[in-house]
Amino acid sequence: MARSRQRRLNCTWTKLRRAGVGAVVGLAALCVNPSSALAWHDDGHRIVAEIASRHLSKSALEQINALLADMPDYSTMATAATWADQQAKLDPAFAFAYSSHYINVEQRATPREVLATCLEKSGCVVTGIAYYVDVLRSQRASRAQRAEALRFLLHFVGDAHQPLHAGHSHDKGGNDINELRLLEYTPAKERTNLHAAWDGGLIAITMAREGWTWQRYAVELDARISDEMIARWGRGSAYDWVEESRLFAAANGYLRADAMTPVRPGDALGEDWYQRNLPVAEQRLQQGGVRLALVLEELF
């Protein structure tokens, strides 16, 4: 059964690869300069990368692991996917990459308009992804430069799929919608903000209730991914990924459980909010993993 599924996956990847990485990444980066708020909390990024690793060929995974071996603490795809938040954001040398964690889009925009907006703001997650794909494809990049590019790419593809990483600029992607209560995620007098509720709250609540580690969560989510989903999700570009996130932010991310009323500072997000939005968060983790695998398979 496993071999049959792998053969079908390999066939799907072969068909999708004919379009090339350009079809997936879409926009070329003229410059990069990354962003503020954290993306998925660490477990979310680990889950995305773990799902991706399960859809890679043996050859691609071996090359990736060899490239990541230069940093023992970040030597697997799952651990390396957290490096951009855990280490790079703390190092002034990587300040140029800050804005590449997100994009602010208030309404539907064409790829050209998205690119113009990104360049005006010294980069965004779309240009960040494209830039680091270019580094990994470059024959002139050193091994160290390619390893750094891979760690950023593992992270930014995950970022592109968190709905509030395509949120509004005026509330900093939901960071300013604060003092929220969210079930057991905010015990006693603890409070959170809307961005963090999406980054880590939904995942943390689920893992605690099920008694799962992030590894088990990744396995569970991967088991639900069909060949049809892989083929469908493999179409499009990084522009399409952030447009999906923008739409999810509008339809789910910023709204209470009634799907009409905006979440306001001080709100209590209850079980109905959690149940309505968990499927969206899980789908975005799955999509991020599948698409990350597609990009990496083409590069390696």
Side-chain angles (χ1 to χ4, degrees):
M1 185 71 172
R3 290 182 180 178
S4 176
R5 174 176 170 79
Q6 188 59 53
R7 283 197 297 270
R8 292 197 302 273
L9 291 176
N10 290 341
C11 180
T12 301
W13 289 131
T14 299
K15 292 177 181 178
L16 292 173
R17 282 202 299 272
R18 291 172 183 168
V21 169
V24 178
V25 175
L27 301 174
L30 303 180
C31 68
V32 174
N33 233 355
S35 102
S36 63
L38 291 175
W40 297 109
H41 288 175
D42 287 348
D43 284 339
H45 280 288
R46 292 181 184 118
I47 289 168
V48 168
E50 177 62 23
I51 290 173
S53 73
R54 292 168 172 270
H55 292 272
L56 288 171
S57 65
K58 181 180 178 180
S59 173
L61 188 56
E62 287 176 348
Q63 292 180 66
I64 289 167
N65 288 338
L67 193 57
L68 293 174
D70 66 330
M71 281 191 178
D73 290 341
Y74 299 96
S75 59
T76 67
M77 285 178 57
T79 56
T82 68
W83 172 84
D85 275 345
Q86 289 187 354
Q87 297 295 323
K89 278 190 174 180
L90 305 178
D91 188 342
F94 294 107
F96 70 90
Y98 196 55
S99 63
S100 289
H101 290 257
Y102 70 102
I103 181 172
N104 293 131
V105 281
E106 312 296 331
Q107 58 189 11
R108 185 174 180 85
T110 66
R112 182 176 181 177
E113 290 169 337
V114 168
L115 182 58
T117 298
C118 291
L119 297 182
E120 287 173 4
K121 298 180 180 296
S122 301
C124 69
V125 68
V126 175
T127 55
I129 290 170
Y131 174 78
Y132 287 113
V133 164
D134 283 347
V135 173
L136 286 166
R137 297 174 77 176
S138 173
Q139 298 297 315
R140 295 183 295 176
S142 68
R143 185 177 183 83
Q145 289 170 331
R146 296 183 75 246
E148 179 183 293
L150 177 56
R151 287 189 289 270
F152 272 125
L153 183 63
L154 291 170
H155 189 87
F156 291 156
V157 172
D159 280 354
H161 288 81
Q162 205 276 60
L164 290 187
H165 274 256
H168 305 151
S169 58
H170 68 268
D171 57 36
K172 299 181 178 66
N175 277 279
D176 288 346
I177 303 175
N178 51 26
E179 294 300 310
L180 302 177
R181 288 167 288 162
L182 174 57
L183 300 170
E184 56 265 44
Y185 189 65
T186 54
K189 295 183 179 180
E190 291 187 26
R191 297 292 182 268
T192 190
N193 63 60
L194 189 60
H195 193 101
W198 278 89
D199 265 356
L202 290 162
I203 295 171
I205 291 171
T206 304
M207 289 171 59
R209 290 182 177 184
E210 298 291 344
W212 291 344
T213 61
W214 66 263
Q215 294 97 327
R216 172 66 183 278
Y217 204 172
V219 170
E220 294 290 336
L221 289 177
D222 185 52
R224 303 176 201 168
I225 299 173
S226 68
D227 293 351
E228 185 275 332
M229 290 175 180
I230 293 171
R232 176 159 43 88
W233 292 345
R235 306 185 189 111
S237 67
Y239 159 76
D240 297 300
W241 306 345
V242 298
E243 173 61 12
E244 288 171 352
S245 284
R246 183 190 71 81
L247 291 172
F248 277 127
N252 292 78
Y254 280 105
L255 300 179
R256 296 178 186 171
D258 63 8
M260 295 183 292
T261 310
V263 176
R264 303 295 187 193
D267 277 355
L269 306 178
E271 188 67 25
D272 51 356
W273 186 90
Y274 166 78
Q275 294 294 340
R276 180 172 187 265
N277 292 305
L278 179 62
V280 173
E282 291 186 333
Q283 179 178 311
R284 297 307 277 166
L285 293 170
Q286 292 171 313
Q287 289 176 317
V290 166
R291 289 160 174 171
L292 177 59
L294 176 58
V295 172
L296 294 175
E297 191 68 37
E298 177 70 18
L299 290 168
F300 291 92

